[in-house]
Every structure is written in structure tokens, then in C-alpha cells.
């Protein structure tokens, strides 16, 4: 990590420290159309990214751009309401600066959500998928360059990138709440164009069940720091060429929004379990 990246991360963490009402235990990253969960927390402190030196601001519709501190069933939580992406032109370390800051503030477990294209023809838009592993196909990593030993080791282990216990908690929530949960591998691509049908066939052949433009860099950065991860995709559409429909961000957002109540209920129970046990 460059010294300027480290300085910017420190500035961001200092800025958050000054305004944070508590040390968070669980961090949440809320993706496209999924940000409204943060508004349901208790004792909310909302900090717009634009008010924080060092925090990049997302230009994507559907990504609000706030850190939200609050409690959920007694668990101190920090949320990122919206994230920045590589395709917006940010470097990988900038993309993960906010998630690294959540870990620096004390979050030992982070749950990430995203909107994704489903690669199984039998799946339906609106399905929820627990991410069990990923393919980082972005061509970059936030760990590029000199290692920052204070954050983690040079060669971060990714064997259990998605924490087996946190995945098990998700399965228990799905069963108890009667919310069907798919499972699979998430392929993270650069974007911002959606894939061609040939690229969708490629990622299916590589072993993915979902495809998207986020999450994998955040997971790498957080695992480097030893943070435990859970991640959930809202399957907002089938991958290009699978259904014959064309893809649009409006459809992605609308499907995520239509699924909001189930997703909120799911997340609420998952956070409570993870906050107690992780
Ligand atoms: N591809 C890539 N990213 C996505 C998709 C998709 O089909 N749907 C939502 N995010």
C-alpha cells in the first residue's frame, strides 16, 4: 500500500472516530437498491461520505453515500449505505477504503450485500444467494504494491474467505424465517457494461452462479485484516443471454427494491446472530 493511501485511510478513520457514537461490532455494506436497511437501526448517526476527508463518493444512482452508525437488537453496527466501484475510475485501494475504515473502527465481522446477475437458468429475479466463494476477475486487487504489515500479511489466505460459521447462521435464518436461500460462487468483474452472452457462458464454465461488479475487492481487503465475512447477493436479473431479456440498471434497482422487505428481515436476523456469535 502506498504511503499516501495509508495516510488517506488514517484521515478517514480519524474523521469517523470523531463522530462515531460507538465502537461497531458488525459492519454492513448495502449495495444497489438495498441501502434502506440502515434507516431501521436504532439511535442513528448518519455521516455523508461527502463530509469525510478521504472518503470517495459514489456517482451511481441507488447508492446513497452515508456511513450510518446505530444499534440492532443491542449490537453496535456501522453501515455503508452505498459503495464506490472500480468502474467509476477509482483505484482498488480507494474502492475498499471505507470497508477498511469499518474494520479499523473495530468491526470484527462484515456482512456485504450486492445486486447480481444469476447464472442458473432455473433461478428467478428476486432470489437471494448466499455467496460461498468468489472469482476475482477484476484484474486487480487492493493488496497490489508494498504490503502494509500493520494491516495484515503479504500473502493473505483466502481458503475460507466467506466464514463457514457466518454462512451457517445465514442458513439458519433462511430456514427459521422461511426465506429461500440459494448458494453459490460470485464472479466479480470490472463492468460497467453488463456482460455479453459469451462472457456469461465463460463465467458459468469457470464455476460461478452469479456475476456482479463489486464485493470481491472488499472481501480481499477485509480478509487481509482478519475480518470475518458474510455476503449475500440479490439476484436482480438473469445473466445476459440466459432469458433473452436485455439488462438495465433500472430493472436491477427495481428488483432489489421489490425484494427489500425479505432482505431486511433476513439481514436483521443475520446481524443479530452474527453480532452475538462472531
Ligand atoms: N451483471 C453484472 N452485474 C450485475 C448484474 C449483471 O447481470 N446484475 C446486477 N449487477
Amino acid at each position: 500500500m502506498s504511503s499516501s493511501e495509508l495516510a488517506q485511510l488514517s484521515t478517514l478513520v480519524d474523521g469517523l472516530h470523531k463522530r462515531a457514537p460507538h465502537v461497531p461490532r458488525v459492519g454492513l455494506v448495502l449495495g444497489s437498491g438495498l441501502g434502506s436497511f440502515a434507516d431501521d437501526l436504532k439511535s442513528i448517526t448518519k455521516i455523508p461520505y461527502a463530509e469525510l476527508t478521504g472518503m470517495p463518493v459514489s456517482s451511481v444512482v441507488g447508492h446513497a453515500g452515508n456511513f450510518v452508525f446505530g444499534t440492532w437488537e443491542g449490537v453496535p453496527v456501522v453501515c455503508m449505505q452505498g459503495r464506490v466501484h472500480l468502474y467509476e475510475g477509482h483505484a482498488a485501494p480507494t474502492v475498499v477504503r471505507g470497508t477498511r475504515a469499518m474494520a479499523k473502527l473495530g468491526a470484527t465481522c462484515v456482512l456485504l450485500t450486492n445486486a447480481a446477475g444469476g447464472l442458473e437458468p432455473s433461478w428467478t429475479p428476486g432470489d437471494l444467494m448466499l455467496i460461498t466463494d468468489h472469482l476475482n476477475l477484476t484484474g486487480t486487487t487492493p493488496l497490489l504494491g508494498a504490503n502494509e504489515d500493520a494491516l495484515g500479511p503479504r500473502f493473505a489466505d483466502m481458503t475460507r474467505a466467506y466464514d463457514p460459521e457466518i454462512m451457517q447462521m445465514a442458513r439458519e435464518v433462511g430456514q427459521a424465517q422461511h426465506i429461500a436461500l440459494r448458494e453459490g460462487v460470485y464472479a466479480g468483474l470490472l463492468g460497467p457494461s453488463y456482460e455479453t452472452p459469451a462472457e456469461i457462458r465463460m463465467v458459468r464454465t469457470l464455476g460461478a452462479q452469479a456475476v456482479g461488479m463489486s464485493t470481491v475487492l472488499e472481501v480481499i481487503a477485509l480478509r487481509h485484516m482478519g475480518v470475518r465475512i458474510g455476503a449475500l447477493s440479490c439476484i436482480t436479473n438473469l445473466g445476459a443471454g440466459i432469458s433473452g431479456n436485455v439488462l438495465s440498471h433500472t430493472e436491477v434497482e427495481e428488483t432489489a427494491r421489490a425484494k427489500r422487505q425479505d432482505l431486511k428481515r433476513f439481514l436483521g436476523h443475520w446481524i443479530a446472530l452474527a453480532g452475538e456469535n462472531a
Side-chain angles (χ1 to χ4, degrees), residues 45-211:
T45 303
K46 199 177 254 199
I47 311 172
Y49 296 163
E51 292 178 12
L52 289 160
T53 308
M55 185 63 195
V57 177
S58 175
S59 58
V60 184
V61 176
H63 283 257
N66 303 296
F67 281 99
V68 183
F69 290 82
T71 60
W72 183 260
E73 308 220 342
V75 180
V77 172
V78 58
C79 297
M80 287 179 64
Q81 213 174 25
R83 50 154 72 88
V84 294
H85 306 81
L86 262 187
Y87 64 72
E88 294 176 69
H90 301 290
T94 313
V95 170
V96 304
R97 202 179 290 145
T99 34
R100 276 180 166 149
M102 295 201 295
K104 283 282 217 179
L105 288 175
T108 53
C109 159
V110 172
L111 306 180
L112 301 109
T113 64
N114 59 44
L119 302 180
E120 296 292 331
S122 62
W123 291 7
T124 311
D127 284 355
L128 299 180
M129 186 192 93
L130 181 67
I131 302 179
T132 56
D133 204 347
H134 77 217
L135 297 168
N136 174 15
L137 301 177
T138 64
T140 190
T141 163
L143 308 183
L144 197 66
N147 186 55
E148 185 54 44
D149 294 338
L151 294 185
R154 169 76 286 189
F155 300 105
D157 179 43
M158 292 289 144
T159 311
R160 295 192 183 93
Y162 298 83
D163 191 275
E165 278 177 42
I166 294 177
M167 285 198 279
Q168 196 49 38
M169 292 173 204
R171 294 181 187 112
E172 284 164 20
V173 169
Q175 273 171 10
Q177 295 301 312
H178 306 289
I179 297 173
L181 199 57
R182 311 275 190 190
E183 295 195 13
V185 173
Y186 173 93
L189 274 68
L190 176 60
S193 50
Y194 291 115
E195 300 70 33
T196 61
E199 286 163 347
I200 289 296
R201 289 194 294 276
M202 174 187 77
V203 284
R204 286 189 72 187
T205 303
L206 293 177
Q209 281 74 41
V211 65

Side-chain angles (χ1 to χ4, degrees), residues 145-276:
N147 186 55
E148 185 54 44
D149 294 338
L151 294 185
R154 169 76 286 189
F155 300 105
D157 179 43
M158 292 289 144
T159 311
R160 295 192 183 93
Y162 298 83
D163 191 275
E165 278 177 42
I166 294 177
M167 285 198 279
Q168 196 49 38
M169 292 173 204
R171 294 181 187 112
E172 284 164 20
V173 169
Q175 273 171 10
Q177 295 301 312
H178 306 289
I179 297 173
L181 199 57
R182 311 275 190 190
E183 295 195 13
V185 173
Y186 173 93
L189 274 68
L190 176 60
S193 50
Y194 291 115
E195 300 70 33
T196 61
E199 286 163 347
I200 289 296
R201 289 194 294 276
M202 174 187 77
V203 284
R204 286 189 72 187
T205 303
L206 293 177
Q209 281 74 41
V211 65
M213 306 174 195
S214 68
T215 305
V216 294
L217 301 182
E218 292 148 332
V219 168
I220 291 169
L222 290 168
R223 285 309 300 147
H224 179 236
M225 297 174 81
V227 173
R228 297 174 73 183
I229 305 279
L232 187 75
S233 288
C234 178
I235 302 295
T236 52
N237 57 280
L238 293 183
I242 296 181
S243 75
N245 297 346
V246 296
L247 274 51
S248 79
H249 184 58
T250 310
E251 179 201 357
V252 166
E253 271 201 292
E254 275 169 9
T255 309
R257 219 175 282 122
K259 198 65 194 180
R260 194 148 66 187
Q261 291 314 323
D262 269 4
L263 212 115
K264 278 185 174 180
R265 195 154 53 90
F266 187 92
L267 269 184
H269 288 276
W270 201 17
I271 294 164
L273 268 187
E276 234 172 77

Side-chain angles (χ1 to χ4, degrees), residues 23-34:
V23 173
R25 192 178 319 144
V26 175
L28 268 181
V29 181
L30 302 168
S32 282
L34 311 172

